Amino acid sequence: MSPSSSPHIIILGGGCSGTLAAVNLVRPASRPPRITIINDHRPDGRGVAYGTRRMEHLLNVAARNMSAFPDQPDHFVNWLRTRSEYDLVPDEELRERFIPRMIYGDYLKSLAHHHLSEVTRIRGEAVDVKEDGTVVLADGAEIRADRIVLATGNEAPADLPGAETLGGHPAWAGNPWLPWHENLPPDTGTIVLLGTGLTTVDAIITLRALGWLGRIHAVSRHGWLPNAHFRGIEYPDFPPADVDLAGLGLEKLAALMEHHCARLREMGANPAIIVDKMRPHTQRVWQGFTLEEKKAFARHHAARWNVLRHRIAPEIHAQIASAQLTGQLQVHAAEIERVEGAGDRVRVLLSHGRQLEGDLVLNATGPQTRLAASKSVLLQNLLRRGLVSPDEMEMGVRIQSDHAVIDLEGRPSPLLFAMGPLLRGTYWETIAVPELRGQARRVAESILGLGASATPQPVMMEFMI
Ligand SMILES: Cc1cc2nc3c(=O)[nH]c(=O)nc-3n(C[C@H](O)[C@H](O)[C@H](O)COP(=O)(O)OP(=O)(O)OC[C@H]3O[C@@H](n4cnc5c(N)ncnc54)[C@H](O)[C@@H]3O)c2cc1C
């Protein structure tokens, strides 16, 4: 980049992460850099989560913690006030509301409208980056960048065994973020949801909103559905003042958490308060674990952590509970071994010889999280060129503390920076807006050379969920 010319920054991915990165690049700079955002099929500025067109899909974080800017915590709530449906809602109530995700997408769009009028947007798929910073698009176009931000986000769920035989099968929906609900079986039919996490909750809520009356089965290893948000109690005893959570190691940390959970249960309080109290420390704790501890956590504790951590709006939880009470929804705890065609239906083979058949079967097992198995042509090419390397958990790309990507030779890239779900292995918690907004700022500071993050620590902020 010549010292006189404005650097050209290309952001690959125009969802929530890409938009927040661009806004943070533009906001502090007296002479904003030249920015191009390249985004493929999803709606610009909204991405997977906020591109939904269904009003029944609510945020799972209260409005008060969804500001796009860490230094302006009330930004989202104040923006909501500009909309007629919220301008008369009392402040305390509005701050606690779980707003439709589509409206959060409007918020991101309005930020883009306000801050990014000079930004060039390209609708297309980036498929490669050359060593000199040339980004190659699927249609063959090439654009030269001085810096590149990888903000490619969530990938569709990993294929399940047998799914390769189901391409084009009318009863198989392999990507839950495509409009599977536009072709529902009749009310006498059965829908099988693979997974019992947030995407399955979305699907159940949509089926109810559409008035679909058929039978729903949801299946996952433990059969645990997300818990509801609740009003916690003051519990100043955790973390204990004299304990550095990041230095404890997995075994002692798990024992400490169990101990405090038991105390909360004795007090008649919800033990999930401990998970909330962990949130500001999670990234530091994760980075303090040895590789063996990280793997042990992923194997033995992650499922329970996720169910306590990824909570849903109470009104959504009530709908799920009602679907179970009426018998419409049945939840199964089993390993999903294989999927296969069975005439017009899809059969799901489960552990212990059990099986389910659906007129529609939806893969809602969560985004695939193994870099080597990525279906992204871009990421595969970056790996092949050695421009990125896997983090030690092999979940995403390895970065150094300023978010510069580390190449296969172990050198920090002068060109590539990464943020968002690609950093799961580095931070563990890296997908919710409270994390993304901190990362967007840090990436922008690194690229603009603002120095504030010369040796940045994991994003520490208050998580009041
Ligand atoms: C269903 C769902 C609900 C969620 N709800 C909440 C919530 O309530 N609160 C909260 O805090 N967090 C929530 N999250 C988590 C988080 O906010 C999202 O994961 C967020 O969407 C991540 O944004 P992103 O931009 O990194 O990724 P994405 O939203 O996946 O966007 C990435 C974009 O990059 C594009 N792209 C990828 N590769 C290329 C390429 N090679 N070339 C061009 N474009 C490319 C994709 O098409 C996409 O548009 C939710 C997540 C999901 C999946």
Side-chain angles (χ1 to χ4, degrees), residues 13 15-17 39-40 42 47-48 50 59-60 124 126 152-154 421 431 433:
C16 178
S17 296
N39 193 45
D40 57 11
R42 296 200 185 279
V48 166
Y50 313 112
L59 292 174
N60 50 36
T152 52
N154 298 290
I431 62 159
V433 168

Side-chain angles (χ1 to χ4, degrees), residues 37-340:
I37 300 179
I38 301 177
N39 193 45
D40 57 11
H41 12 264
R42 296 200 185 279
D44 273 350
R46 294 177 188 264
V48 166
Y50 313 112
T52 176
R53 298 284 165 194
R54 307 226 40 107
M55 280 299 268
E56 71 272 11
H57 290 164
L58 302 187
L59 292 174
N60 50 36
V61 176
R64 65 180 146 78
N65 210 4
M66 286 298 288
S67 167
F69 304 112
D71 56 342
Q72 287 178 256
D74 291 335
H75 194 271
F76 178 53
V77 174
N78 291 338
W79 177 86
L80 282 174
R81 291 264 174 237
T82 65
R83 293 179 63 109
S84 54
E85 66 266 55
Y86 299 114
D87 62 353
L88 296 178
V89 181
D91 202 51
E92 268 316 293
E93 194 187 321
L94 186 57
R95 294 171 62 74
E96 300 305 322
R97 279 245 184 128
F98 296 90
I99 305 293
R101 293 210 304 267
M102 193 166 104
I103 292 184
Y104 196 77
D106 295 345
Y107 172 60
L108 293 173
K109 280 294 264 194
S110 85
L111 289 178
H113 186 74
H114 184 75
H115 294 281
L116 306 181
S117 54
E118 303 290 310
V119 164
T120 305
R121 288 174 180 283
I122 295 177
R123 172 59 63 97
E125 183 191 359
V127 290
D128 199 2
V129 175
K130 297 183 184 169
E131 283 73 3
D132 67 353
T134 302
V135 175
V136 183
L137 274 77
D139 64 6
E142 298 197 348
I143 315 164
R144 180 82 170 73
D146 296 300
R147 299 280 185 274
I148 294 168
V149 180
L150 295 175
T152 52
N154 298 290
E155 284 200 29
D159 280 343
L160 292 162
E164 67 285 356
T165 63
L166 292 176
H169 194 295
W172 174 243
N175 183 342
W177 300 309
L178 295 176
W180 55 269
H181 54 271
E182 286 173 4
N183 216 353
L184 292 180
D187 281 349
T188 48
T190 297
I191 294 183
V192 180
L193 305 172
L194 305 179
T196 55
L198 296 176
T199 305
T200 280
V201 168
D202 266 5
I204 297 166
I205 296 298
T206 291
L207 290 170
R208 287 172 68 84
L210 292 169
W212 190 77
L213 298 173
R215 188 169 281 272
I216 306 170
H217 294 278
V219 54
S220 70
R221 193 168 296 135
H222 300 283
W224 293 335
L225 287 161
N227 291 355
H229 283 287
F230 59 91
R231 272 206 173 277
I233 56 162
E234 290 293 323
Y235 187 71
D237 298 357
F238 189 89
D242 55 345
V243 172
D244 174 20
L245 294 176
L248 277 184
L250 178 60
E251 208 176 310
K252 286 190 180 145
L253 178 65
L256 182 72
M257 289 176 70
E258 291 293 353
H259 169 72
H260 283 271
C261 286
R263 273 185 59 188
L264 280 162
R265 271 189 221 102
E266 276 166 25
M267 292 160 65
N270 191 329
I273 288 170
I274 296 304
V275 170
D276 297 354
K277 293 254 176 182
M278 278 293 295
R279 286 296 302 286
H281 310 281
T282 318
Q283 295 186 353
R284 225 163 40 85
V285 167
W286 177 255
Q287 291 181 321
F289 282 167
T290 62
L291 179 57
E292 285 65 37
E293 286 174 325
K294 287 177 183 171
K295 287 183 173 166
F297 177 84
R299 230 182 352 259
H300 304 300
H301 301 278
R304 186 153 165 245
W305 172 268
N306 286 339
V307 86
L308 293 173
R309 145 80 182 87
H310 295 286
R311 292 202 289 268
I312 51 180
E315 56 268 44
I316 297 286
H317 191 264
Q319 286 201 55
I320 302 291
S322 151
Q324 277 184 288
L325 273 177
T326 60
Q328 184 187 26
L329 168 65
Q330 282 182 43
V331 179
H332 309 263
E335 293 275 349
I336 300 161
E337 293 188 339
R338 195 174 173 76
V339 287
E340 61 187 25

